[in-house]
Coordinates of all heavy atoms in Angstrom, one line a residue:
M14 N 56.3 5.9 172.7 CA 55.5 6.4 173.8 C 55.6 5.5 175.0 O 56.1 4.4 174.9 CB 54.0 6.5 173.3 CG 53.4 5.1 173.0 SD 51.6 5.2 172.7 CE 51.7 5.7 171.0
K15 N 55.1 6.0 176.1 CA 55.2 5.3 177.3 C 54.1 4.2 177.4 O 53.0 4.5 177.0 CB 55.0 6.2 178.5 CG 56.2 7.2 178.7 CD 57.3 6.6 179.5 CE 58.4 7.6 179.8 NZ 59.4 7.6 178.7
A16 N 54.4 3.1 178.0 CA 53.4 2.1 178.2 C 53.8 1.4 179.5 O 54.8 1.6 180.1 CB 53.4 1.1 177.1
N17 N 52.9 0.5 180.0 CA 53.1 -0.3 181.2 C 53.2 -1.8 180.8 O 52.4 -2.2 180.0 CB 52.0 -0.1 182.2 CG 52.0 1.4 182.6 OD1 53.0 1.9 183.1 ND2 50.9 2.0 182.5
K18 N 54.2 -2.4 181.3 CA 54.4 -3.8 181.0 C 54.4 -4.7 182.3 O 55.1 -4.3 183.2 CB 55.8 -4.0 180.3 CG 56.0 -5.4 179.7 CD 57.3 -5.3 178.9 CE 57.4 -6.5 178.0 NZ 58.5 -6.4 177.1
C19 N 53.6 -5.7 182.2 CA 53.6 -6.7 183.4 C 54.9 -7.4 183.5 O 55.3 -8.0 182.5 CB 52.4 -7.6 183.2 SG 52.4 -8.9 184.5
S20 N 55.6 -7.3 184.6 CA 56.9 -8.0 184.7 C 56.7 -9.5 184.9 O 57.7 -10.3 184.8 CB 57.7 -7.4 185.9 OG 57.0 -7.6 187.1
N21 N 55.5 -9.9 185.1 CA 55.2 -11.4 185.3 C 55.0 -12.1 183.9 O 55.6 -13.1 183.6 CB 54.1 -11.6 186.2 CG 53.8 -13.1 186.5 OD1 54.7 -13.8 186.9 ND2 52.6 -13.5 186.4
C22 N 54.0 -11.5 183.2 CA 53.6 -12.2 181.9 C 53.9 -11.3 180.7 O 53.6 -11.8 179.6 CB 52.1 -12.5 182.0 SG 51.0 -11.1 181.8
Q23 N 54.5 -10.1 180.8 CA 54.9 -9.3 179.7 C 53.7 -8.6 179.0 O 53.8 -8.0 177.9 CB 55.7 -10.0 178.6 CG 56.8 -10.9 179.2 CD 57.7 -10.2 180.2 OE1 58.1 -9.1 180.0 NE2 58.0 -10.8 181.3
Y24 N 52.5 -8.7 179.6 CA 51.3 -8.0 179.0 C 51.6 -6.5 179.0 O 52.2 -5.9 179.9 CB 50.1 -8.3 179.9 CG 48.9 -7.5 179.5 CD1 48.0 -8.0 178.5 CD2 48.5 -6.3 180.1 CE1 46.9 -7.3 178.1 CE2 47.4 -5.6 179.7 CZ 46.6 -6.1 178.7 OH 45.4 -5.4 178.3
E25 N 51.3 -5.9 177.8 CA 51.5 -4.4 177.7 C 50.2 -3.7 177.5 O 49.3 -4.1 176.9 CB 52.4 -4.2 176.4 CG 53.8 -4.7 176.5 CD 54.5 -4.6 175.2 OE1 53.9 -4.8 174.1 OE2 55.7 -4.3 175.3
T26 N 50.2 -2.5 178.1 CA 49.0 -1.6 178.0 C 49.4 -0.2 178.1 O 50.5 0.1 178.7 CB 48.0 -2.0 179.2 OG1 46.9 -1.0 179.1 CG2 48.7 -1.8 180.5
I27 N 48.7 0.7 177.5 CA 49.0 2.1 177.6 C 48.2 2.8 178.7 O 48.4 3.9 179.0 CB 48.8 2.9 176.3 CG1 47.4 2.7 175.7 CG2 49.9 2.5 175.3 CD1 47.1 3.7 174.7
V28 N 47.2 2.1 179.3 CA 46.4 2.7 180.3 C 47.0 2.2 181.7 O 47.7 1.2 181.8 CB 44.9 2.3 180.2 CG1 44.4 3.0 178.9 CG2 44.7 0.9 180.2
E29 N 46.6 2.9 182.7 CA 47.1 2.6 184.1 C 46.1 1.5 184.6 O 44.9 1.8 184.7 CB 47.0 3.8 185.0 CG 47.9 4.9 184.6 CD 49.4 4.7 185.0 OE1 49.6 3.9 186.0 OE2 50.3 5.3 184.4
L30 N 46.6 0.4 185.0 CA 45.8 -0.7 185.5 C 46.4 -1.1 186.9 O 47.6 -1.1 187.1 CB 45.8 -1.9 184.6 CG 45.3 -1.7 183.2 CD1 45.5 -3.0 182.4 CD2 43.8 -1.5 183.3
A31 N 45.5 -1.4 187.8 CA 45.9 -1.9 189.1 C 46.4 -3.3 189.0 O 47.4 -3.7 189.6 CB 44.8 -1.7 190.1
F32 N 45.6 -4.1 188.2 CA 45.9 -5.5 188.1 C 46.1 -5.9 186.7 O 45.4 -5.4 185.8 CB 44.8 -6.4 188.7 CG 44.6 -6.3 190.2 CD1 43.7 -5.3 190.7 CD2 45.3 -7.1 191.0 CE1 43.6 -5.2 192.1 CE2 45.2 -7.0 192.4 CZ 44.3 -6.0 192.9
C33 N 47.0 -6.8 186.4 CA 47.2 -7.3 185.0 C 46.0 -8.2 184.7 O 45.6 -9.1 185.4 CB 48.5 -8.1 185.0 SG 48.7 -8.9 183.4
P34 N 45.3 -7.9 183.5 CA 44.1 -8.6 183.2 C 44.5 -10.1 182.8 O 43.6 -10.9 182.7 CB 43.6 -7.9 182.0 CG 44.7 -7.1 181.4 CD 45.6 -6.8 182.6
K35 N 45.7 -10.4 182.5 CA 46.1 -11.7 182.1 C 46.5 -12.6 183.3 O 46.1 -13.7 183.4 CB 47.3 -11.7 181.1 CG 46.8 -11.4 179.7 CD 48.0 -11.4 178.7 CE 48.5 -12.8 178.4 NZ 49.6 -12.8 177.4
C36 N 47.3 -12.0 184.2 CA 47.8 -12.9 185.2 C 47.4 -12.4 186.6 O 47.8 -13.0 187.6 CB 49.3 -13.0 185.1 SG 50.2 -11.5 185.5
Q37 N 46.7 -11.3 186.7 CA 46.2 -10.7 188.0 C 47.3 -10.2 188.9 O 47.0 -10.0 190.1 CB 45.3 -11.7 188.7 CG 44.3 -12.5 187.9 CD 43.4 -11.7 187.0 OE1 43.0 -10.6 187.5 NE2 43.1 -12.1 185.8
Q38 N 48.5 -10.1 188.4 CA 49.5 -9.6 189.3 C 49.5 -8.0 189.3 O 49.0 -7.4 188.4 CB 50.9 -10.0 188.8 CG 51.1 -11.5 188.8 CD 51.2 -12.1 190.2 OE1 52.0 -11.7 191.0 NE2 50.3 -13.1 190.4
Q39 N 50.1 -7.4 190.3 CA 50.3 -6.0 190.4 C 51.8 -5.7 190.1 O 52.5 -5.4 191.1 CB 49.9 -5.4 191.7 CG 48.4 -5.4 191.9 CD 48.1 -4.9 193.3 OE1 48.2 -5.7 194.3 NE2 47.7 -3.7 193.4
A40 N 52.2 -5.9 189.0 CA 53.7 -5.9 188.7 C 54.0 -5.2 187.5 O 54.8 -5.6 186.6 CB 54.2 -7.4 188.7
F41 N 53.4 -4.0 187.3 CA 53.7 -3.2 186.1 C 55.0 -2.4 186.2 O 55.2 -1.8 187.2 CB 52.5 -2.3 185.8 CG 51.3 -3.0 185.2 CD1 50.2 -3.2 186.0 CD2 51.4 -3.5 184.0 CE1 49.1 -3.9 185.5 CE2 50.3 -4.2 183.4 CZ 49.2 -4.4 184.2
N42 N 55.7 -2.4 185.2 CA 56.9 -1.5 185.0 C 56.7 -0.6 183.8 O 56.0 -1.1 182.8 CB 58.2 -2.4 184.8 CG 58.6 -3.1 186.0 OD1 58.5 -2.6 187.1 ND2 59.0 -4.4 185.8
E43 N 57.2 0.6 183.9 CA 57.1 1.4 182.8 C 58.0 1.0 181.6 O 59.1 0.5 181.9 CB 57.4 2.9 183.2 CG 57.0 3.9 182.1 CD 57.2 5.3 182.6 OE1 56.2 5.8 183.2 OE2 58.2 5.9 182.4
T44 N 57.5 1.0 180.5 CA 58.3 0.6 179.3 C 58.0 1.6 178.2 O 57.2 2.5 178.3 CB 57.9 -0.8 178.9 OG1 58.8 -1.3 177.9 CG2 56.5 -0.9 178.4
T45 N 58.8 1.5 177.2 CA 58.6 2.4 176.0 C 58.3 1.5 174.8 O 58.9 0.5 174.6 CB 59.9 3.2 175.7 OG1 60.2 3.9 176.9 CG2 59.7 4.2 174.6
V46 N 57.2 1.9 174.1 CA 56.8 1.2 172.9 C 57.0 2.1 171.7 O 57.0 3.3 171.8 CB 55.4 0.6 173.0 CG1 55.3 -0.4 174.1 CG2 54.4 1.8 173.2
P47 N 57.1 1.5 170.5 CA 57.3 2.3 169.3 C 56.2 3.4 169.1 O 55.1 3.2 169.5 CB 57.3 1.3 168.2 CG 57.5 0.0 168.8 CD 56.9 0.1 170.2
N48 N 56.6 4.5 168.5 CA 55.7 5.6 168.2 C 55.0 5.3 166.8 O 54.3 6.1 166.3 CB 56.4 6.9 168.1 CG 56.6 7.5 169.5 OD1 56.0 7.1 170.5 ND2 57.5 8.5 169.6
E49 N 55.4 4.2 166.2 CA 54.8 3.9 164.9 C 54.3 2.5 164.9 O 54.7 1.7 165.6 CB 55.9 4.2 163.8 CG 57.2 3.4 164.1 CD 58.3 3.8 163.1 OE1 58.9 4.9 163.4 OE2 58.4 3.2 162.1
G50 N 53.3 2.3 164.0 CA 52.7 1.0 163.9 C 51.9 0.9 162.6 O 52.1 1.7 161.7
T51 N 51.1 -0.1 162.6 CA 50.3 -0.3 161.4 C 48.8 -0.3 161.7 O 48.4 -0.7 162.8 CB 50.6 -1.7 160.7 OG1 50.5 -2.7 161.6 CG2 52.1 -1.7 160.2
V52 N 48.0 0.1 160.7 CA 46.6 0.1 160.9 C 46.0 -1.3 160.9 O 46.2 -2.0 160.0 CB 45.9 1.0 159.8 CG1 44.4 1.0 160.0 CG2 46.4 2.4 159.9
Y53 N 45.4 -1.6 162.0 CA 44.8 -3.0 162.2 C 43.4 -3.0 161.7 O 42.9 -3.9 161.1 CB 44.9 -3.4 163.7 CG 44.4 -4.8 164.0 CD1 45.1 -5.9 163.7 CD2 43.1 -4.9 164.6 CE1 44.6 -7.2 164.0 CE2 42.6 -6.1 164.9 CZ 43.3 -7.3 164.6 OH 42.8 -8.5 164.9
S54 N 42.6 -2.0 162.1 CA 41.3 -1.8 161.6 C 40.9 -0.3 161.8 O 41.6 0.4 162.5 CB 40.3 -2.7 162.4 OG 40.2 -2.2 163.8
F55 N 39.9 0.1 161.1 CA 39.5 1.5 161.3 C 38.1 1.7 160.9 O 37.5 0.9 160.2 CB 40.4 2.5 160.5 CG 40.2 2.4 159.0 CD1 39.3 3.2 158.4 CD2 40.8 1.4 158.2 CE1 39.1 3.2 157.0 CE2 40.6 1.3 156.9 CZ 39.7 2.2 156.2
T56 N 37.5 2.8 161.4 CA 36.2 3.2 161.1 C 36.2 4.7 160.7 O 36.9 5.5 161.3 CB 35.2 3.1 162.3 OG1 35.3 1.8 162.8 CG2 33.8 3.5 162.0
T57 N 35.6 5.1 159.6 CA 35.5 6.5 159.2 C 34.3 7.1 159.9 O 33.2 6.6 159.8 CB 35.4 6.6 157.7 OG1 36.5 5.9 157.1 CG2 35.4 8.0 157.3
I58 N 34.6 8.2 160.6 CA 33.6 9.0 161.3 C 33.2 10.2 160.4 O 34.0 11.1 160.2 CB 34.1 9.5 162.6 CG1 34.6 8.3 163.5 CG2 32.9 10.2 163.4 CD1 33.7 7.2 163.9
R59 N 32.0 10.1 159.9 CA 31.5 11.2 159.0 C 30.6 12.1 159.8 O 30.5 13.3 159.5 CB 30.7 10.6 157.8 CG 31.7 9.8 156.9 CD 31.0 9.3 155.7 NE 31.8 8.3 155.1 CZ 32.9 8.6 154.4 NH1 33.3 9.8 154.1 NH2 33.7 7.6 153.9
I60 N 29.8 11.6 160.7 CA 29.0 12.4 161.6 C 29.5 12.4 163.0 O 29.4 11.4 163.7 CB 27.5 11.9 161.5 CG1 27.0 11.9 160.1 CG2 26.6 12.7 162.5 CD1 25.7 11.2 159.9
A61 N 30.3 13.4 163.3 CA 31.0 13.5 164.5 C 30.2 14.1 165.7 O 29.3 14.9 165.4 CB 32.3 14.3 164.3
P62 N 30.6 13.7 166.9 CA 30.0 14.4 168.0 C 30.4 15.9 168.0 O 31.4 16.3 167.3 CB 30.6 13.7 169.2 CG 31.8 13.0 168.7 CD 31.5 12.7 167.3
P63 N 29.7 16.8 168.6 CA 29.9 18.3 168.5 C 31.4 18.7 168.7 O 31.9 19.5 168.0 CB 29.0 18.9 169.6 CG 27.9 17.9 169.7 CD 28.5 16.5 169.5
E64 N 32.0 18.0 169.7 CA 33.4 18.5 170.0 C 34.4 18.1 168.9 O 35.5 18.6 168.9 CB 33.9 18.0 171.4 CG 33.9 16.5 171.5 CD 32.6 15.9 172.1 OE1 31.5 16.4 171.7 OE2 32.7 15.0 173.0
Y65 N 34.0 17.2 168.0 CA 35.0 16.8 166.9 C 34.5 17.2 165.6 O 35.0 16.8 164.6 CB 35.2 15.3 167.0 CG 35.8 14.8 168.3 CD1 35.2 14.0 169.2 CD2 37.2 15.2 168.6 CE1 35.8 13.6 170.3 CE2 37.8 14.8 169.7 CZ 37.1 14.0 170.6 OH 37.7 13.6 171.8
I66 N 33.4 18.0 165.5 CA 32.7 18.2 164.2 C 33.7 18.9 163.2 O 33.6 18.6 162.0 CB 31.4 19.0 164.5 CG1 30.4 18.7 163.4 CG2 31.6 20.5 164.6 CD1 29.0 18.7 163.8
E67 N 34.6 19.7 163.7 CA 35.5 20.4 162.8 C 36.5 19.4 162.1 O 37.1 19.8 161.1 CB 36.3 21.5 163.5 CG 37.2 20.9 164.6 CD 37.8 22.0 165.5 OE1 38.6 22.8 165.0 OE2 37.5 22.1 166.7
Y68 N 36.6 18.2 162.7 CA 37.6 17.3 162.1 C 36.9 16.3 161.1 O 37.6 15.7 160.3 CB 38.3 16.5 163.2 CG 39.0 17.3 164.2 CD1 38.5 17.4 165.5 CD2 40.1 18.0 163.9 CE1 39.2 18.2 166.5 CE2 40.8 18.8 164.8 CZ 40.3 18.9 166.1 OH 41.0 19.6 167.0
A69 N 35.6 16.2 161.1 CA 35.0 15.2 160.3 C 35.1 15.5 158.8 O 35.1 16.7 158.4 CB 33.5 15.1 160.7
P70 N 35.2 14.5 157.9 CA 35.4 13.1 158.3 C 36.8 12.8 158.8 O 37.8 13.4 158.3 CB 35.1 12.3 157.0 CG 35.6 13.3 155.9 CD 35.3 14.7 156.5
Y71 N 36.9 11.8 159.7 CA 38.2 11.4 160.2 C 38.1 9.9 160.5 O 37.0 9.3 160.4 CB 38.6 12.2 161.4 CG 37.7 12.1 162.6 CD1 37.7 11.0 163.5 CD2 36.7 13.1 162.8 CE1 36.8 11.0 164.6 CE2 35.8 13.1 163.8 CZ 35.9 12.0 164.7 OH 35.0 11.9 165.8
Q72 N 39.2 9.3 160.8 CA 39.3 7.9 161.0 C 39.6 7.6 162.5 O 40.4 8.3 163.1 CB 40.4 7.2 160.2 CG 40.0 6.8 158.8 CD 39.7 8.1 157.9 OE1 38.5 8.2 157.5 NE2 40.6 9.0 157.8
V73 N 38.9 6.7 163.1 CA 39.2 6.1 164.4 C 39.8 4.7 164.1 O 39.0 3.9 163.6 CB 38.0 6.1 165.3 CG1 38.4 5.4 166.6 CG2 37.5 7.5 165.7
A74 N 41.0 4.5 164.4 CA 41.7 3.3 164.0 C 42.3 2.6 165.2 O 42.6 3.2 166.2 CB 42.8 3.6 163.0
L75 N 42.4 1.3 165.0 CA 43.1 0.5 166.0 C 44.5 0.3 165.4 O 44.6 -0.3 164.2 CB 42.4 -0.9 166.2 CG 42.5 -1.6 167.5 CD1 42.3 -0.7 168.7 CD2 41.6 -2.8 167.5
V76 N 45.5 0.8 166.0 CA 46.9 0.7 165.5 C 47.7 -0.3 166.3 O 47.8 -0.2 167.5 CB 47.6 2.1 165.5 CG1 49.0 2.0 165.2 CG2 46.8 3.0 164.6
S77 N 48.3 -1.2 165.6 CA 49.2 -2.2 166.3 C 50.6 -1.6 166.4 O 51.2 -1.3 165.4 CB 49.4 -3.5 165.4 OG 48.2 -4.1 165.3
L78 N 51.0 -1.5 167.7 CA 52.4 -0.9 167.9 C 53.4 -2.1 168.1 O 54.5 -2.0 167.7 CB 52.4 0.0 169.2 CG 51.5 1.2 169.1 CD1 51.6 2.0 170.4 CD2 51.9 2.1 167.9
T79 N 52.9 -3.1 168.8 CA 53.8 -4.3 169.0 C 52.9 -5.5 168.8 O 51.7 -5.4 168.5 CB 54.4 -4.4 170.4 OG1 53.3 -4.6 171.4 CG2 55.1 -3.1 170.8
D80 N 53.5 -6.7 168.9 CA 52.7 -7.9 168.7 C 51.4 -7.9 169.6 O 50.4 -8.5 169.3 CB 53.5 -9.1 169.1 CG 54.5 -9.4 168.0 OD1 54.4 -8.8 166.9 OD2 55.4 -10.2 168.2
Q81 N 51.6 -7.4 170.8 CA 50.5 -7.5 171.8 C 49.7 -6.2 172.0 O 48.7 -6.2 172.6 CB 51.1 -7.8 173.2 CG 52.1 -8.8 173.3 CD 52.4 -9.0 174.8 OE1 51.4 -9.2 175.6 NE2 53.6 -9.0 175.2
L82 N 50.3 -5.1 171.6 CA 49.7 -3.8 172.0 C 49.1 -3.1 170.8 O 49.8 -2.8 169.8 CB 50.8 -2.9 172.6 CG 50.4 -1.6 173.2 CD1 49.3 -1.7 174.3 CD2 51.5 -0.8 173.7
K83 N 47.8 -2.8 171.0 CA 47.1 -2.0 170.0 C 46.5 -0.7 170.7 O 46.1 -0.8 171.9 CB 45.9 -2.7 169.4 CG 46.4 -3.9 168.6 CD 45.2 -4.6 167.9 CE 45.6 -5.8 167.1 NZ 46.0 -6.9 168.0
V84 N 46.6 0.4 170.1 CA 46.0 1.6 170.6 C 44.9 2.2 169.7 O 45.0 2.0 168.5 CB 47.1 2.7 170.9 CG1 48.1 2.2 171.9 CG2 47.7 3.1 169.6
T85 N 44.0 2.8 170.3 CA 43.0 3.5 169.6 C 43.5 4.9 169.1 O 44.0 5.6 169.9 CB 41.7 3.7 170.4 OG1 41.3 2.5 170.9 CG2 40.6 4.4 169.6
A86 N 43.5 5.1 167.8 CA 44.1 6.3 167.3 C 43.1 7.2 166.5 O 42.2 6.7 165.9 CB 45.3 5.9 166.3
F87 N 43.4 8.5 166.5 CA 42.6 9.4 165.7 C 43.5 9.7 164.5 O 44.7 10.1 164.7 CB 42.4 10.7 166.6 CG 41.8 11.8 165.8 CD1 40.4 12.1 166.0 CD2 42.5 12.6 165.0 CE1 39.8 13.2 165.3 CE2 41.9 13.7 164.3 CZ 40.6 14.0 164.5
I88 N 43.0 9.5 163.3 CA 43.8 9.8 162.1 C 42.9 10.7 161.2 O 41.8 10.3 160.8 CB 44.2 8.5 161.4 CG1 44.9 7.5 162.4 CG2 45.0 8.8 160.2 CD1 45.3 6.2 161.8
Q89 N 43.5 11.8 160.9 CA 42.7 12.8 160.1 C 42.7 12.3 158.6 O 41.7 12.4 157.9 CB 43.4 14.2 160.2 CG 42.6 15.3 159.4 CD 41.3 15.6 160.1 OE1 41.2 16.2 161.2 NE2 40.2 15.2 159.5
D90 N 43.8 11.8 158.2 CA 43.9 11.4 156.7 C 43.2 10.1 156.5 O 43.0 9.3 157.4 CB 45.4 11.2 156.3 CG 46.2 12.5 156.7 OD1 46.6 12.6 157.9 OD2 46.3 13.3 155.8
E91 N 42.9 9.8 155.2 CA 42.4 8.5 154.9 C 43.5 7.5 155.0 O 44.6 7.7 154.6 CB 41.8 8.5 153.4 CG 40.5 9.2 153.4 CD 39.9 9.1 152.0 OE1 40.1 8.2 151.3 OE2 39.1 10.0 151.6
V92 N 43.1 6.3 155.5 CA 44.1 5.2 155.7 C 43.5 3.9 155.2 O 42.3 3.8 155.0 CB 44.6 5.1 157.1 CG1 45.5 6.2 157.5 CG2 43.4 4.9 158.1
A93 N 44.3 2.9 155.1 CA 43.8 1.6 154.7 C 44.5 0.6 155.7 O 45.5 0.9 156.4 CB 44.2 1.2 153.3
I94 N 43.9 -0.5 155.9 CA 44.4 -1.6 156.8 C 45.8 -2.0 156.3 O 46.0 -2.2 155.1 CB 43.4 -2.8 156.9 CG1 42.2 -2.4 157.6 CG2 44.1 -4.0 157.5 CD1 41.1 -3.3 157.6
G95 N 46.7 -2.0 157.2 CA 48.1 -2.3 156.9 C 49.0 -1.1 156.7 O 50.2 -1.3 156.6
D96 N 48.4 0.1 156.6 CA 49.2 1.3 156.4 C 50.1 1.5 157.6 O 49.7 1.3 158.7 CB 48.3 2.5 156.2 CG 47.8 2.6 154.8 OD1 48.1 1.8 154.0 OD2 47.1 3.6 154.5
S97 N 51.3 2.1 157.3 CA 52.2 2.5 158.4 C 51.8 3.9 158.8 O 51.6 4.8 158.0 CB 53.7 2.5 157.9 OG 54.1 1.2 157.6
V98 N 51.7 4.0 160.1 CA 51.3 5.3 160.7 C 52.3 5.7 161.9 O 52.9 4.8 162.5 CB 49.9 5.4 161.2 CG1 48.9 5.3 160.0 CG2 49.6 4.2 162.2
I99 N 52.4 7.0 162.2 CA 53.3 7.4 163.2 C 52.6 8.4 164.1 O 51.8 9.2 163.7 CB 54.6 8.0 162.6 CG1 55.6 8.2 163.7 CG2 54.3 9.2 161.8 CD1 57.1 8.4 163.1
L100 N 52.9 8.3 165.4 CA 52.3 9.2 166.4 C 52.7 10.6 166.1 O 53.9 10.9 166.0 CB 52.7 8.8 167.8 CG 52.1 9.6 168.9 CD1 50.6 9.4 169.1 CD2 52.8 9.3 170.3
K101 N 51.7 11.5 166.0 CA 52.0 12.9 165.7 C 52.0 13.7 167.0 O 52.8 14.5 167.3 CB 51.0 13.4 164.8 CG 51.2 14.8 164.3 CD 50.0 15.2 163.3 CE 50.0 16.7 163.0 NZ 48.7 17.0 162.4
E102 N 50.9 13.5 167.8 CA 50.8 14.2 169.1 C 49.7 13.5 169.9 O 48.9 12.6 169.4 CB 50.4 15.6 168.9 CG 49.0 15.7 168.1 CD 48.6 17.2 168.0 OE1 48.9 18.0 168.8 OE2 48.0 17.5 166.9
V103 N 49.7 13.8 171.2 CA 48.6 13.4 172.1 C 47.8 14.6 172.4 O 48.3 15.6 172.9 CB 49.2 12.7 173.4 CG1 48.0 12.3 174.3 CG2 50.1 11.5 173.1
R104 N 46.6 14.6 171.9 CA 45.7 15.8 172.0 C 44.5 15.4 172.8 O 43.7 14.5 172.4 CB 45.3 16.2 170.6 CG 44.6 17.5 170.6 CD 43.7 17.7 169.3 NE 44.6 17.7 168.1 CZ 44.1 17.2 166.9 NH1 42.9 16.7 166.7 NH2 44.9 17.2 165.8
D105 N 44.2 16.1 173.9 CA 43.1 15.8 174.8 C 43.0 14.3 175.1 O 41.9 13.7 174.9 CB 41.7 16.2 174.1 CG 41.8 17.7 173.8 OD1 42.5 18.5 174.5 OD2 41.1 18.1 172.9
N106 N 44.1 13.7 175.4 CA 44.1 12.2 175.7 C 43.9 11.3 174.5 O 43.7 10.1 174.7 CB 43.2 11.9 176.9 CG 43.6 12.5 178.2 OD1 44.8 12.5 178.5 ND2 42.7 13.0 179.0
A107 N 43.8 11.9 173.3 CA 43.7 11.1 172.1 C 45.0 10.9 171.5 O 45.8 11.9 171.4 CB 42.7 11.7 171.2
Y108 N 45.3 9.7 171.0 CA 46.5 9.5 170.2 C 46.3 9.8 168.8 O 45.6 9.1 168.1 CB 47.0 8.1 170.4 CG 47.4 7.8 171.8 CD1 46.5 7.3 172.8 CD2 48.7 8.0 172.2 CE1 46.9 7.1 174.1 CE2 49.2 7.8 173.5 CZ 48.3 7.3 174.4 OH 48.7 7.1 175.7
V109 N 46.9 10.9 168.3 CA 46.8 11.4 167.0 C 47.9 10.8 166.1 O 49.1 11.1 166.4 CB 46.8 12.9 166.9 CG1 46.6 13.4 165.5 CG2 45.7 13.5 167.8
F110 N 47.5 10.0 165.2 CA 48.5 9.4 164.3 C 48.4 10.0 162.9 O 47.3 10.5 162.5 CB 48.3 7.9 164.2 CG 49.0 7.1 165.3 CD1 48.4 7.1 166.6 CD2 50.1 6.4 165.1 CE1 48.9 6.4 167.6 CE2 50.7 5.7 166.2 CZ 50.1 5.7 167.4
E111 N 49.4 9.9 162.1 CA 49.4 10.3 160.7 C 50.1 9.3 159.8 O 51.0 8.6 160.3 CB 49.9 11.7 160.5 CG 51.4 11.8 160.9 CD 51.9 13.3 160.8 OE1 51.1 14.2 160.5 OE2 53.1 13.4 160.9
P112 N 49.7 9.2 158.6 CA 50.3 8.2 157.7 C 51.8 8.5 157.6 O 52.2 9.7 157.6 CB 49.6 8.4 156.3 CG 48.3 9.1 156.7 CD 48.6 9.9 157.9
Q113 N 52.6 7.5 157.4 CA 54.0 7.6 157.3 C 54.4 7.3 155.8 O 54.0 6.2 155.3 CB 54.7 6.6 158.2 CG 56.1 6.8 158.4 CD 56.6 5.9 159.5 OE1 57.6 6.3 160.1 NE2 56.0 4.8 159.8
N114 N 55.1 8.2 155.2 CA 55.5 7.9 153.8 C 57.0 7.6 153.7 O 57.8 8.2 154.4 CB 55.2 9.2 153.0 CG 53.7 9.5 152.9 OD1 53.0 8.5 152.7 ND2 53.4 10.7 153.2
Ligands
LIG401 ZN1 50.6 -10.1 183.8

């Protein structure tokens, strides 16, 4: 997936930032980060807000893509910390991941 990388300090982010939060430079270049990663932490959502009620229960996970970059992921399946997951789609600005077998 696409990400932005600070050309000064190598900070990576998937969101558009005007200034690098680490070094305060405006020196982002577009980069590509892996579409797969590992589950760093997660929360199971059993009582979902109305717009997501059809998906409950589901997992909202923090997925590590690189040493520095973690993304918030929507995962329908049950997962555990350390599981390998892969990006399935970007739906309504949410990163939908699924377990990788
Ligand atoms: Zn920086």
